[in-house]
């Protein structure tokens, strides 16, 4: 892959909000979100309490402009 196509792929991957991972507790979700922000893996994070595909309630971490992690 050339350098220009790599830059394009990175730009496309780092656009908007995306699901990252689900957690059982809000504190674990918030902690992971803030850790990623400190490491510059993404610009912002948000935890939403929603029902998973298994029917159980969980905290879902969404990140904004993910570039690593």
């Amino acid at each position: 892959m050339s350098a220009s196509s790599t830059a394009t792929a990175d730009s496309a991957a780092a656009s908007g909000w995306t699901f990252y991972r689900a957690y059982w507790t809000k504190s674990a979700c918030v902690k992971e979100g803030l850790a990623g922000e400190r490491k510059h893996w993404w610009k912002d994070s948000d935890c939403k309490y929603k029902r998973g595909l298994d029917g159980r309630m969980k905290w879902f971490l969404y990140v904004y402009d993910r570039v690593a992690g």
Side-chain angles (χ1 to χ4, degrees), residues 8 10 12 22 26-27 38 40 47 49-50 57 66 68-69:
T8 303
D10 289 344
K26 182 177 183 179
S27 61
R38 281 193 304 275
H40 303 287
C47 294
Y49 194 59
K50 298 170 27 169
M57 297 299 288
R66 179 179 175 196

Side-chain angles (χ1 to χ4, degrees), residues 17-29:
W17 288 96
T18 187
F19 169 74
Y20 183 68
R21 195 173 285 159
Y23 300 87
W24 292 115
T25 64
K26 182 177 183 179
S27 61
C29 184

Side-chain angles (χ1 to χ4, degrees), residues 1 3 5 9 12 16 21 23 25-26 30 32 44 46-47 50 55 64-65 68-69:
M1 193 180 289
S5 63
R21 195 173 285 159
Y23 300 87
T25 64
K26 182 177 183 179
V30 170
E32 181 75 14
D44 197 8
D46 190 25
C47 294
K50 298 170 27 169
Y64 186 76
D65 277 353

Side-chain angles (χ1 to χ4, degrees), residues 27-68:
S27 61
C29 184
V30 170
K31 183 178 177 181
E32 181 75 14
L34 293 175
E37 288 177 42
R38 281 193 304 275
K39 295 175 184 177
H40 303 287
W41 289 351
W42 46 75
K43 293 182 180 178
D44 197 8
S45 60
D46 190 25
C47 294
K48 303 280 186 187
Y49 194 59
K50 298 170 27 169
R51 190 169 307 280
L53 294 176
D54 61 0
R56 299 177 351 183
M57 297 299 288
K58 302 173 190 175
W59 289 94
F60 289 82
L61 175 59
Y62 291 88
V63 298
Y64 186 76
D65 277 353
R66 179 179 175 196
V67 294

